[in-house]
Every structure is written in C-alpha cells, then in structure tokens.
Amino acid sequence: MLREWDPGTASPTEIDAVLGTLNAVLAADLPDDPQWAVDSFREYLSVTMPGERRICWLAEARPGAAGHGEHPLGHASVLLLGGTGVVEVLVHPAARRDRIGRALIETAARRAAAEGLSSISAEVVGGTPAVGFYESLGFECDFVEVRSVLRLASVDWARLGEQARGVGAGYSIHCYPGGPPEDLYEQYAEAKWAVRTAVGADPLPHDSGQVKASLATLHARGMKPYIVVGVHERTGQVAGLTEVVVPAQHPTRADQYDTVVVPEHRGYGLGRAIKARMLFELRAAEPQLAEVQTWNAVENEALRKVNAELGFVVDREWREYETDLPPLLARLSRTSR
C-alpha cells in the first residue's frame, strides 16, 4: 500500500519508523557510514528552501501481512525546485525484489509530471543496488563525483598547521561558525558566482538574499554550518571560501560543501589553507566529530589533489542520473501489466 505522507505533521512513531528504514538501507548498502539519529530528522525531511517543495510517500505492508516488521517497506520523495525534480527512493532490504521500488518511483514520476515537469533526476551511490535499479528504468548517468572521507584520528595535525599557514602574503583567513556576517553575504555570493562562471556552469542566484535563505534553511534542518573565508586584504574581496555542515542527524560525520577560490586568486595556496584551517576549527568546536566527507567532480583534479594532501581518502562514486518523464512512465506502464 502506498500513501502520500507529510513528515512535518507525522507522529513521532512514524518518524522513528522511517528512520529505521533509512538505517536498515545504510547498514546493507553503506555499512561504513554512520547510522542516523532522530535528532532533527523530521526537519531534515520537511524543511526546504523558499520556493521549493518536497512531496513524500510511504510503502507499507497490508494489514495482517507477515514478515516485514515495524518499519515501512519503502519511502520516496520528489523535491520540486524550479523546473526540475529530484527523486529519492529507499526500499527496506527485507522488501527488495518485491517491485516496491518501481511502484514508488512510478508514483513520484506521475506526480512530477502532474506538476508540469518534463524530467527528473536522482542522486545514486556507486556500488549499491540503486545503480542497477535506475539503469533498468532507463535513467542515464550524466555526472559523476567521487566521495572522499577524512578520519580525524589519522590527521597529522603538525603538518596540517603548516598547511593552514601556507598562504601567500596579502590574504587573511577568518572562520564563522553558523555563517558569515551579513556584510559579507554579497561578496560571498559573488565569489561562488565567479567560480561557476569560470568553469562554464550555469550561474546560481548570487545575491545576499539567497545566502541568507540558504543559511536559515540549514539551521532549520538541524545542520550547523561552519564557514571559512580567505580575504584579499588590499581589496577586501572574498577570494576563497569553504563550507562544512555538521548535521544533528549524524553528528560524528560532517559534510563538506563548496570549496571555491576566485580564479584571479589561485596559485597562492588559499584553497589548501582555508580547508586546513576549517579542520582545526571543527576539532575545537565539535569534539564528537570523527570524520568529514566531501564530494568532487572527477575532472576537478586540483581540488582532489588538495584533499589528498590533507588526508582525505577516496571512498566511492556518487552519480547523478536523469531521465525524461514520458518514456519513463511508458516503460513503467508496460512492465506493470
């Protein structure tokens, strides 16, 4: 049985049950990843950026059915942002091969089409059953990143201190737990925009309002941001920045978000220095933290090299798949007969 489900109004029992399904999937597919906690899990599922919506569904055993325990058989969501949709499907390992995943993705795809979308994408972890699942439905991989993990217990802190200080003259480094001050929002956004433009990527909104909304959303989802910026002292320009988020849902493993250095400020050791400084800040502020994970495009050799010098170890691929909705729905309709 499938039903639309609102995590914002769900009972604590249901939230715990969905969390149990997620942790069962992690234990089966990513056993080295930390299990998630219930802290702010409801907010993680329900809070979105302004202008975005997430629609969720649960797959549950029929009343009286035996063998599936107390957790949902599966959970799916589609995040609607602008003209695109990002789908996520989780099926409890005990319920796999029962066509539950197909039922969930068909429901999500039909809703996305009803919302006016023409395609959907999915983030898929390499080396897991999700790869074969999405490819069997006609999804095509159009972007690959690699995830790397740094275990703080293995860090050479003396060497890291040298790396944190190894920045060219004329730059100062500043750390802002919780987010940068508002008077840096505009420059902060401009630094991100400049880097995306330089590599030919679609520029994201780059105004102070977008930065403010992003930070507010992170806090509302129980995800504490730490920001380190490198400032060009002569001009006062934000020349580089790096972002790490410590989620309440898995506080022993932090997520590294963007690290960018504005093109005209490259070659002065700024990227390495701000990432090294970040690790010192995290060690002092988050004593429970054991690991930091980061994602980089395969072709971003420069940043992957910096990560390796800091002690990050490549873990696995992280793929983005996409498909047009009309052929996906046609395929699902044929296979459900």
Side-chain angles (χ1 to χ4, degrees), residues 12 146 166-167 233 290 297 334:
V146 291
V167 63
E233 293 176 334
R334 286 195 300 269

Side-chain angles (χ1 to χ4, degrees), residues 170-171 187 231-239 265:
Y171 295 92
Q187 292 185 53
V231 175
H232 185 232
E233 293 176 334
R234 183 176 59 82
T235 63
Q237 180 186 11
V238 172
H265 297 286

Side-chain angles (χ1 to χ4, degrees), residues 30 70 94 129 221:
L30 297 168
E70 62 183 353
R221 299 184 80 199

Side-chain angles (χ1 to χ4, degrees), residues 73-319:
L73 306 182
H75 171 266
S77 68
V78 60
L79 178 64
L80 306 174
L81 55 167
T84 64
V86 180
V87 68
E88 182 178 27
V89 174
L90 296 174
V91 177
H92 195 288
R96 289 175 177 172
R97 300 189 181 280
D98 290 340
R99 302 180 69 84
I100 292 168
R102 283 178 174 261
L104 283 166
I105 203 159
E106 182 173 4
T107 299
R110 291 193 182 282
R111 181 58 174 270
E115 295 282 345
L117 302 186
S118 60
S119 64
I120 55 174
S121 63
E123 191 176 81
V124 180
V125 184
T128 68
V131 173
F133 171 72
Y134 283 102
E135 290 183 351
S136 73
L137 295 174
F139 281 76
E140 295 184 356
C141 181
D142 61 6
F143 184 69
V144 178
E145 293 181 303
V146 291
R147 182 178 75 169
S148 302
V149 178
L150 172 67
R151 291 173 174 80
L152 296 183
S154 68
V155 170
D156 182 341
W157 293 99
R159 183 169 180 268
L160 193 73
E162 296 174 0
Q163 293 169 325
R165 294 186 294 271
V167 63
Y171 295 92
S172 58
I173 298 176
H174 309 271
C175 182
Y176 300 108
E182 290 200 25
D183 60 4
L184 280 184
Y185 282 4
E186 198 67 37
Q187 292 185 53
Y188 189 90
E190 287 175 0
K192 285 195 169 191
W193 180 84
V195 170
R196 289 185 63 84
T197 301
V199 298
D202 292 334
L204 296 171
H206 64 288
D207 56 61
S208 59
Q210 185 76 7
V211 174
K212 185 175 183 178
S214 297
L215 291 169
T217 301
L218 286 173
H219 284 290
R221 299 184 80 199
M223 307 168 79
K224 183 177 180 180
Y226 287 83
I227 310 297
V228 173
V229 301
V231 175
H232 185 232
E233 293 176 334
R234 183 176 59 82
T235 63
Q237 180 186 11
V238 172
L241 61 95
T242 190
E243 308 161 329
V244 167
V245 169
V246 180
Q249 300 85 9
H250 50 90
T252 61
R253 178 180 282 192
D255 298 333
Q256 169 85 65
Y257 287 2
D258 279 350
T259 297
V260 302
V261 178
V262 176
E264 58 263 36
H265 297 286
R266 292 174 182 170
Y268 299 98
L270 192 56
R272 183 181 299 102
I274 58 178
K275 286 176 72 75
R277 170 67 181 275
M278 174 67 81
L279 294 174
F280 278 104
E281 297 293 336
L282 292 171
R283 183 177 70 161
E286 302 285 346
Q288 85 292 341
L289 193 63
E291 299 168 320
V292 179
Q293 60 185 357
T294 188
W295 295 263
N296 303 109
V298 172
E299 62 271 18
N300 192 346
E301 295 181 4
L303 194 51
R304 290 175 61 191
K305 179 180 178 182
V306 168
N307 287 335
E309 292 173 353
L310 294 171
F312 283 86
V313 177
V314 173
D315 176 48
R316 61 175 68 229
E317 286 186 348
W318 227 259
R319 304 178 181 183

Side-chain angles (χ1 to χ4, degrees), residues 33-54:
D33 280 26
Q35 293 276 284
W36 281 42
V38 74
D39 300 27
S40 295
F41 185 59
R42 179 192 303 276
E43 291 77 12
Y44 177 84
L45 294 173
S46 60
V47 176
T48 61
M49 282 281 288
E52 299 178 358
R53 286 187 295 136
R54 179 179 284 108

Side-chain angles (χ1 to χ4, degrees), residues 3 5-23 37-46 58 71-72 75:
R3 65 181 172 96
W5 180 72
D6 180 5
T9 59
S11 69
T13 300
E14 285 190 336
I15 294 294
D16 285 341
V18 172
L19 177 65
T21 297
L22 169 61
N23 280 332
V38 74
D39 300 27
S40 295
F41 185 59
R42 179 192 303 276
E43 291 77 12
Y44 177 84
L45 294 173
S46 60
L58 292 184
H71 301 304
H75 171 266

